[in-house]
Amino acid sequence: MKPRFFMQWRQPAVAAAVSQEAAGSAPPASALAPAKGHKPVHQGLSDRALAWLFVGPTIVLLLAFNIFPLLWTIYLSFTNFRANKPNAEISWVGISNYQRVLGDEAIWLNMRTTAHFLCWSIVLELLLGFALALLLNRRFRTHSFWSTAILLPMMLAPAVVGTFWKYFFEPQYGIFNYIVSFFGGPEKFTMLGDVNLSPWAIVLVDTWMWTPYVMLILLAGLRSIPPYLYEAAEIDRASEWTKFWRITVPMVMPFIILALLFRSIENFKMFDLVDQLTNGGPGSVTELASIHLKREAFEKWRTGYASALAIILFVAIYGMSLVTVRFLDKVKQR
Amino acid sequence: MSKLKSTLWRTLAGAALAATALGAQAQEKSLTLCWAAWDPANALVELSKDFTAKTGIQMKYEFVPWPNFAQRMLNELNSKGKLCDLLIGDSQWIGGAAQEGHYVKLNDFFDKNGIKMSDFMPATVTGYSEWPKKTPNYWALPAMGDAVAFTYRKDWFARPELRAEFKQKYGRDLEAPKTWDEFKQVGQFFQNRTIDGKKVYGAALYTERGSEGITMGVTNALYAYGFEYSNPAKPYDMKGFVNSAGAAKGLKLYKELYDTVTPPGHSNAYMTENLDAYKSGQVAMQMNFIAFFPGISKDPQVGGEKTGFFAIPKGDKQFAQLGGQGISVVKYSDKQPMALEYLKWFAQQSVQKKWWDAGGFTCNQAILNAPGFDKSTSYAKVFLDSMKMVKDFWAEPTYAQLLLAMQNRVHDYVVAGKGTPQAALDGMVKDWTEVFKEDGKLK
């Protein structure tokens, strides 16, 4: 039963069609299509006005908080503006900020660090996420509890996770050293203070936090595979490995690529977790591009230069996403 | 009935208006003081009650934790915010704040009210008030004298068995170190030692990477072996001064200390981390700003007779890194006359005396040079000695870029172990030259 005002608001022909539908008979297609030359009679707003009413605020917000800052950043990237010199004149410097960014050795080091973090964390998250998804896809007795428990890390704020793990890795009283030594590892080592270990500490924490997210996506993928495919394979006496390799993996592949896309974008711009955990140190070994950007923009106040760097990073993320989406389309078309 | 209603509404509206007016009046008679959130700020809250009692001006406070202090306050100034009427800002900010017009210039006010800069310790006037340096242009009143120094576990140093072992090993008494070589020996002596069943370490040094920590620590060792920010005869001429052989020796020493006397994992430590390491009984010695020493003296675990204090040790020379701040009137404040009234009150000698007694660190010479001052507290002598040998980091408007460049170069060498001390200092000259060129100070 539709509310009365709903019926009144609709065009008479549509209302009649809806009534017909409610009565059990299919409405004629012409009833739902707008009649030629017929001027809709509304008691309230027109369709167009209503559409603007819904979409308008979103467009205004989008322009105010996304498009305008983006255009402003593009403008600033061609100037020598510094946010700590609000009274100084802004001069146009052409592409020199871009030249400086691309010629800066430190940026390439940061990009290499970012790539290292990105690759390893995504590989580990996909492997572990897939394994967990396969496990939880078998409906055992307590699987609901475990599904929820596994999801807990991703529900925490990255800054909180960073702070929490910093204490966890603390060599004097952190539990991480205790666990490692319990299993026969060295008694005291400094995970965050060691140049060789600290990049892995970040990969480890990110994997801990975001594997459940990957698992969730892949679990959805596993649940979407029609059971008859496995039944047919069983009739053909296919082995477990064949079923996994020939059915599961291809069917889940779009979801894997989707997870890869989401995690790549997120990890490329990862900031708060690393900021809390190592703040880019020791030395500069964990200084990701995003950390470097923050230092340039809000500590060194080189706003124009930082804007150019932000645009370059934006283009890199956009390009990476575009390639992944194209790949995803190809996989889906197979 | 309607008449009664109307009367009621009128009464309520009148009361609301009166309340708003009173509120606005109360608002008018108040000042907001911005500073870092630490022990001296609490002392200032207590002290300022006298100001409120005398003038009727209410004091409000915006205290920001140290890790966010610079960013929060510099954002406030750069956006011409009206949050702070008075700001106790770091010494390095003075150049930028003066150049960008964030602070009120105080020369006329000082002259009119008989406030003489000669009443304050010269190093603090140069460090906290002047821009350009060594010129009589004042943008702040020296408020909080501070420098880097050390605390040490006097009770551990007094243990007969440790004293005997130390004497046998080094041929001298186990005392607070006076030179950097002695410091290294004492630190290494305590490193990985077990005291009262607990493993302890030599010293907590500044190693923080993100803001200014390692710079505030390493400069003490650099100054000791001849590091200069630039040629005294030619400003911004840094080659051979920043990266002199002596400076490289100082940097190498600091790395050696980091490697051999600090606790494991002490790779990103500044004021709070060092306090934690010391108060929890992990280290025999702690580098920190003297402003924290009253709190340590009162600490139930390590306070009283358990702790002693010593100034930055000597190398070829002896200098301590300046900390501390001046108090300035913010240009964007609508309450500048009241804020200036606060400065006038704060500059009085009687108030400065109370400031010291409350746990603040006065810069007033008459109080500092008064007989018996050095014995007034357990850390008074260290404060006096340190303030006579302070040096400050660049206070240029571009100080943030200069600072972060040094942070990166030094942390890369000392903590991450990349390259050589000479390469780190050469890199610093390169970075700083670029900053000064960009700023138009160098061609």
Side-chain angles (χ1 to χ4, degrees), chain A residues 10-328:
Chain A
R10 283 173 171 266
Q11 293 177 31
V14 177
V18 172
S19 306
Q20 258 184 305
E21 192 185 6
S25 57
S30 61
L32 291 169
K36 254 187 188 174
H38 175 74
K39 204 174 176 183
V41 180
H42 295 300
Q43 287 180 351
L45 296 164
S46 69
D47 283 359
R48 186 176 288 271
L50 196 72
W52 275 110
L53 192 70
F54 284 128
V55 179
T58 314
I59 290 178
V60 170
L61 289 174
L62 193 76
L63 285 171
F65 295 110
N66 286 37
I67 308 297
F68 171 72
L70 178 67
L71 295 176
W72 187 243
T73 308
I74 292 173
Y75 164 68
L76 288 180
S77 71
F78 294 105
T79 69
N80 66 347
F81 178 65
R82 284 172 176 276
N84 67 334
K85 289 186 174 177
N87 301 324
E89 217 170 274
I90 303 177
S91 311
W92 186 262
V93 295
I95 57 163
S96 69
N97 281 332
Y98 287 90
Q99 284 173 328
R100 282 179 67 187
V101 170
L102 295 172
D104 190 345
E105 218 175 278
I107 303 284
W108 293 108
L109 271 174
N110 298 150
M111 293 300 257
R112 209 172 68 185
T113 309
T114 309
H116 172 276
F117 164 64
L118 194 76
C119 291
W120 281 108
S121 56
I122 286 174
V123 165
L124 288 173
E125 282 162 27
L126 282 176
L127 287 176
L128 291 172
F130 202 6
L132 284 172
L134 285 170
L135 194 71
L136 290 177
N137 197 35
R138 295 161 188 260
R139 292 182 180 276
F140 53 95
R141 215 172 144 201
T142 53
H143 94 279
S144 300
F145 167 78
W146 286 111
S147 306
T148 315
I150 289 168
L151 290 180
L152 282 176
M154 63 171 263
M155 291 174 188
L156 300 167
V160 173
V161 171
T163 311
F164 164 71
W165 275 83
K166 195 159 82 176
Y167 289 111
F168 202 64
F169 285 135
E170 164 59 46
Q172 305 295 317
Y173 48 80
I175 201 167
F176 189 76
N177 270 334
Y178 175 78
I179 293 170
V180 172
S181 64
F182 182 81
F183 288 105
E187 196 190 329
K188 263 188 188 161
F189 58 95
T190 60
M191 197 74 183
L192 299 179
D194 188 302
V195 278
N196 299 315
L197 295 177
S198 56
W200 293 106
I202 293 174
V203 171
L204 179 68
V205 176
D206 192 76
T207 306
W208 176 81
M209 188 171 180
W210 292 112
T211 295
Y213 177 72
V214 175
M215 179 207 80
L216 210 59
I217 295 173
L218 300 188
L219 193 60
L222 289 172
R223 298 254 164 99
S224 72
I225 303 174
Y228 67 79
L229 292 178
Y230 291 108
E231 288 161 11
E234 266 169 34
I235 292 167
D236 290 344
R237 293 186 179 176
S239 68
E240 285 298 315
W241 173 250
T242 310
K243 278 192 274 181
F244 174 75
W245 198 241
R246 294 286 169 86
I247 300 171
T248 310
V249 173
M251 294 300 282
V252 175
M253 191 51 85
F255 292 85
I256 293 177
I257 294 167
L258 210 61
L260 180 80
L261 176 69
F262 290 160
R263 290 309 307 142
S264 304
I265 294 172
E266 279 299 312
N267 278 3
F268 201 93
K269 58 192 180 71
M270 168 66 71
F271 174 77
D272 30 13
L273 179 77
V274 182
D275 187 52
Q276 287 300 315
L277 205 59
T278 62
N279 196 231
S284 314
V285 290
T286 61
E287 188 161 308
L288 305 183
S290 57
I291 303 259
H292 186 81
L293 176 61
K294 179 238 181 185
R295 289 169 81 87
E296 291 293 336
F298 301 111
E299 291 174 12
K300 293 185 184 173
W301 301 103
R302 297 160 87 185
T303 317
Y305 177 86
S307 299
L309 175 56
I311 296 297
I312 288 170
L313 292 181
F314 171 75
V315 170
I317 294 176
Y318 186 76
M320 198 169 72
S321 310
L322 212 64
V323 170
T324 319
V325 169
R326 290 235 169 119
F327 186 53
L328 179 66

Side-chain angles (χ1 to χ4, degrees), chain B residues 117-140:
Chain B
M117 283 294 103
S118 56
D119 287 346
F120 295 89
M121 195 183 270
T124 65
V125 175
T126 307
Y128 310 149
S129 303
E130 288 176 358
W131 186 261
K133 295 291 173 197
K134 308 284 183 191
T135 68
N137 294 288
Y138 306 117
W139 305 89

Side-chain angles (χ1 to χ4, degrees), chain B residues 121 123-124 146-150 178 180 219-220 223-224 290 310-315 317-322 381-392:
Chain B
M121 195 183 270
T124 65
D146 202 3
V148 175
F150 281 94
K178 290 189 176 62
W180 280 109
T219 45
N220 297 287
Y223 298 150
I290 299 170
F310 64 92
I312 291 296
K314 201 178 165 189
K317 298 172 180 178
Q318 191 175 21
F319 289 104
Q321 175 59 47
L322 181 74
K381 188 171 183 327
V382 167
F383 175 58
L384 265 187
D385 292 346
S386 299
M387 293 309 286
K388 286 176 191 160
M389 55 171 188
V390 285
K391 262 193 193 213
D392 200 9

